[in-house]
Amino acid sequence: RKEEELDSKDAIILHQFSRPRNGVPSLSPFCLKMETYLRMADLPYQNYFDGKLSPQGKMPWIEYNHKKVSGTEFIIDFLEEKLGVNLNKHLGPHERAVSRAVTKMVEEHLYWTLAYCQWVENLHETQKMVSLFGPFSDLLKWIFCHLTKGIVKREMYGHGIGRFSEEEMYTLMEKDMRTLAGLLGDKKYIMGSTVSTVDATVFGHLAQAMWTLPGTRPERLIKGELINLAMYCERIRRKFWPEWHHDDDNTLYESEESSEASKTYSPLQDFSFYSRTETFDEEGNSISQTPDTDYTGHSLFDSDVDMDEFRDHEQCK
């Protein structure tokens, strides 16, 4: 879009990569984290899928009142200061410390092993999900994906984790995912019964293993032994992403009313403006979907899945 068309006065403009082809909002865990956070915090925002990086060369980044902020941690700090939102206000000092430690483990450690799986080992499948259009789109996708592969391998080597063997990297990945599963236990969210900022972080990363890495070790782990993480991802998806459905939805994670709703759905849309109370399309037409209700009008708060439901299912089996 032309620069003069962009006006961030009293509006959050979220710059991020374009939507992939497989119905997942983003192949970037940080873009998905940021957009999920905005929905959790009930902050209206406008998406820009222009591919333009921030002045620091980062993605995602935001503009608000003509100020540019990049880096998800700094974006969240900025929004808390300017708009008075705080998803962590119910947490005590110890819980805040644990939350930050988990965030750093996920973003500085688990991220790299998932990136290796996504952009190196499973590159062929990832290439199918990348959304590029035009007469040379297939060639451009091939170039883009192989450039990204080289960047990921170089950055991983500089980080240090890329100097290990593939098996050693996957061992580290499993340790991180088992740590998250143990921390979550049978709780609704990472820090208890209420969402906090760390949930946006964890969801943004685990969603990649859940929905963008078919047939890989991360997917088998999260949908198998660490089933509580899969249920956690589904819980957040239904509550904050009602328009996001996936062809491989597993009814194991669904309650009776949500399974009925999943029979008919429309694909994820590139909303130009998103609000928890009302969403508009490019022409300003109202779209009657909010994160509080599903396609049947039932409250998604009633569709949350807990561990008791899974245990009952296992006993029936």
Side-chain angles (χ1 to χ4, degrees):
R1 302 189 183 213
K2 296 179 181 179
E3 286 291 331
E4 58 267 26
E5 292 179 357
L6 180 61
D7 184 4
S8 65
K9 185 178 186 305
D10 297 326
I12 299 172
I13 308 297
L14 176 62
H15 295 262
Q16 61 170 312
F17 298 115
S18 59
R19 303 284 197 213
R21 291 177 178 271
N22 66 332
V24 176
S26 181
L27 294 176
S28 164
F30 292 98
C31 289
L32 183 53
K33 166 194 174 178
M34 195 65 249
E35 192 168 3
T36 301
Y37 171 85
L38 291 171
R39 292 178 175 223
M40 288 178 171
D42 197 9
L43 295 175
Y45 64 93
Q46 184 172 355
N47 272 319
Y48 265 64
F49 303 103
D50 51 8
K52 181 181 178 181
L53 300 178
S54 72
Q56 295 83 9
K58 304 282 283 184
M59 188 75 90
W61 56 288
I62 69 162
E63 293 181 80
Y64 181 76
N65 283 338
H66 306 291
K67 181 174 178 59
K68 301 177 181 180
V69 186
S70 66
T72 55
E73 184 172 355
F74 291 115
I75 292 173
I76 291 172
D77 289 344
F78 173 81
L79 293 176
E80 286 182 351
E81 178 184 352
K82 295 295 182 181
L83 302 178
V85 297
N86 189 349
L87 293 181
N88 298 332
K89 60 185 178 182
H90 62 287
L91 302 180
H94 175 74
E95 292 172 313
R96 289 171 186 260
V98 171
S99 177
R100 178 165 177 79
V102 171
T103 297
K104 294 300 111 179
M105 179 192 76
V106 170
E107 294 186 342
E108 306 296 339
H109 200 260
L110 177 62
Y111 163 75
W112 290 109
T113 56
L114 293 176
Y116 173 84
C117 187
Q118 189 174 41
W119 294 103
V120 180
E121 185 195 17
N122 207 43
L123 182 65
H124 180 68
E125 291 297 323
T126 301
Q127 184 174 325
K128 296 177 183 177
M129 303 176 194
V130 172
S131 179
L132 287 176
F133 301 97
F136 304 105
S137 59
D138 290 339
L139 175 61
L140 289 174
K141 283 199 295 183
W142 187 92
I143 294 172
F144 169 77
C145 289
H146 281 77
L147 283 174
T148 303
K149 174 182 176 180
I151 292 171
V152 168
K153 291 180 71 174
R154 185 188 68 214
E155 296 292 334
M156 288 183 69
Y157 190 85
H159 176 279
I161 198 170
R163 303 177 188 227
F164 297 112
S165 69
E166 181 178 295
E167 186 61 33
E168 288 171 327
M169 282 191 285
Y170 278 125
T171 297
L172 296 175
M173 177 207 70
E174 288 193 16
K175 287 183 176 180
D176 288 343
M177 291 181 68
R178 292 182 191 280
T179 298
L180 290 174
L183 180 62
L184 177 64
D186 60 359
K187 299 194 301 294
K188 199 172 183 181
Y189 302 108
I190 295 295
M191 302 309 297
S193 60
T194 307
V195 293
S196 56
T197 302
V198 70
D199 290 301
T201 302
V202 174
F203 174 74
H205 288 74
L206 290 183
Q208 306 304 318
M210 185 82 173
W211 290 294
T212 73
L213 299 173
T216 61
R217 291 172 65 170
E219 186 200 49
R220 292 195 300 269
L221 190 61
I222 195 173
K223 292 184 178 180
E225 185 179 346
L226 306 182
I227 193 70
N228 66 327
L229 293 182
M231 298 167 76
Y232 166 81
C233 287
E234 286 286 351
R235 186 176 300 127
I236 292 179
R237 184 181 74 156
R238 289 205 193 94
K239 187 170 182 179
F240 298 102
W241 290 92
E243 75 279 18
W244 169 10
H245 290 261
H246 196 268
D247 292 339
D248 297 327
D249 282 354
N250 191 327
T251 55
L252 171 61
Y253 314 124
E254 298 179 350
S255 65
E256 291 183 4
E257 62 182 35
S258 61
S259 63
E260 286 297 319
S262 66
K263 293 179 181 178
T264 58
Y265 60 88
S266 56
L268 186 72
Q269 303 180 46
D270 292 344
F271 293 138
S272 67
F273 180 81
Y274 182 89
S275 170
R276 185 162 181 163
T277 54
E278 190 169 22
T279 299
F280 300 91
D281 60 18
E282 291 283 354
E283 286 72 34
N285 300 318
S286 177
I287 301 174
S288 59
Q289 291 176 202
T290 74
D292 295 329
T293 59
D294 63 17
Y295 292 86
T296 64
H298 291 119
S299 171
L300 288 171
F301 291 90
D302 300 330
S303 300
D304 288 339
V305 183
D306 56 29
M307 290 302 292
D308 290 335
E309 188 173 333
F310 172 66
R311 292 191 191 99
D312 293 342
H313 178 88
E314 288 296 297
Q315 289 172 1
C316 291
K317 289 168 64 179

